[in-house]
Amino acid sequence: MIPVEPMYPENDAEIGQRLSEWLLLHTLEDLRVRSAADTDVYTRLGISALLRKLLVEKHALVDSARARLRIPAPTFEYTPFDEPEFRPFEPAPDGSFKLILALARDDFTEPTVRSQKDGFLAATCGYHYGEPVTVRDTIRYFANTHGGVHAGEPRSDFERTVQRMSVSLDIAAEGWMKILPRLATITMRALEPVADRLRASPSRPSFPTIRPE
């Protein structure tokens, strides 16, 4: 068996960039599958791992997959979560009532605000006892603590609340996890132009094929 051209480039950086391009295309397809309306909670949880790989990690795919072709940074469009009118779930120290946790507003995917990756990760997508919860907070919790990538100990009051109530109430976990397909929708919409450029490239990312001698 002999390799068919094109062979892999010798430059390590370019090899990594081509791998990132290939991974981005397949990761977006995986997001589409996992975001379908009929998926179960476990399948939906896997969205957090894909979003972490695309957006949050040090060498996020959204950055490394654009490098070789110098594709412009994507634009994320969404509607930040304004502080809700708190309903009487638990009394606050001052005697008022505050909602314990609110995530997954229906209008979060509406394109009223535009930002690049860092702005999107810093955007408010929920509230925990009146304190904002960001997109980055949410991805990290579901990926790093709830089991999307690995199960871990909570690192904040927000994570502790979600973890404890999810174990106690299945309906709570299912409801809060609705935020993940919404984050996926925003991300897929932002990265589709990047994916289109990669698909149209004469050197579309792929692995060499082989043929008999």
Side-chain angles (χ1 to χ4, degrees):
M1 305 286 282
I2 59 173
V4 176
E5 296 293 343
M7 295 293 290
Y8 288 118
E10 295 182 0
N11 181 282
D12 286 346
E14 186 175 346
I15 291 173
Q17 290 165 2
R18 287 177 180 271
L19 177 59
S20 294
E21 294 167 6
W22 178 80
L23 283 170
L24 183 137
L25 292 176
H26 286 275
T27 301
L28 289 179
E29 182 57 33
D30 200 356
L31 275 183
R32 288 187 183 89
V33 172
R34 291 179 180 274
S35 298
D38 59 350
T39 54
D40 59 27
V41 173
Y42 181 79
T43 301
R44 206 172 300 144
L45 176 61
I47 293 172
S48 64
L50 303 176
L51 293 176
R52 192 185 88 158
K53 179 168 62 174
L54 283 167
L55 305 177
V56 176
E57 292 179 351
K58 181 178 179 181
H59 300 292
L61 287 180
V62 68
D63 299 320
S64 57
R66 296 184 294 107
R68 186 176 64 90
L69 298 179
R70 299 182 181 180
I71 302 172
T75 299
F76 295 80
E77 299 179 325
Y78 52 93
T79 297
F81 193 165
D82 293 331
E83 186 169 0
E85 295 181 4
F86 290 107
R87 292 172 285 159
F89 273 68
E90 185 166 310
D94 62 2
S96 63
F97 288 96
K98 286 188 178 267
L99 182 65
I100 295 173
L101 178 65
L103 286 174
R105 272 187 44 160
D106 293 341
D107 64 352
F108 192 68
T109 58
E110 294 299 317
T112 62
V113 170
R114 296 163 59 91
S115 70
Q116 293 187 351
K117 181 191 72 173
D118 289 344
F120 175 56
L121 291 175
T124 300
C125 64
Y127 280 84
H128 175 252
Y129 283 104
E131 296 299 320
V133 175
T134 67
V135 171
R136 187 191 301 272
D137 294 334
T138 303
I139 295 172
R140 281 181 168 170
Y141 167 73
F142 284 110
N144 299 345
T145 304
H146 203 86
V149 175
H150 51 74
E153 297 201 0
R155 298 175 299 173
S156 67
D157 290 340
F158 156 67
E159 292 193 352
R160 192 167 293 107
T161 294
V162 181
Q163 189 182 61
R164 289 180 177 179
M165 294 188 70
S166 295
V167 170
S168 302
L169 299 168
D170 289 343
I171 192 172
E174 184 172 356
W176 290 334
M177 221 173 286
K178 289 179 181 178
I179 189 64
L180 294 177
R182 290 168 186 165
L183 297 179
T185 295
I186 296 166
T187 301
M188 289 187 290
R189 188 167 60 203
L191 295 187
E192 195 54 40
V194 177
D196 287 344
R197 282 284 303 276
L198 294 177
R199 296 187 192 103
S201 171
S203 53
R204 177 177 174 176
S206 63
F207 291 109
T209 56
I210 55 176
R211 67 185 178 196
E213 294 181 343

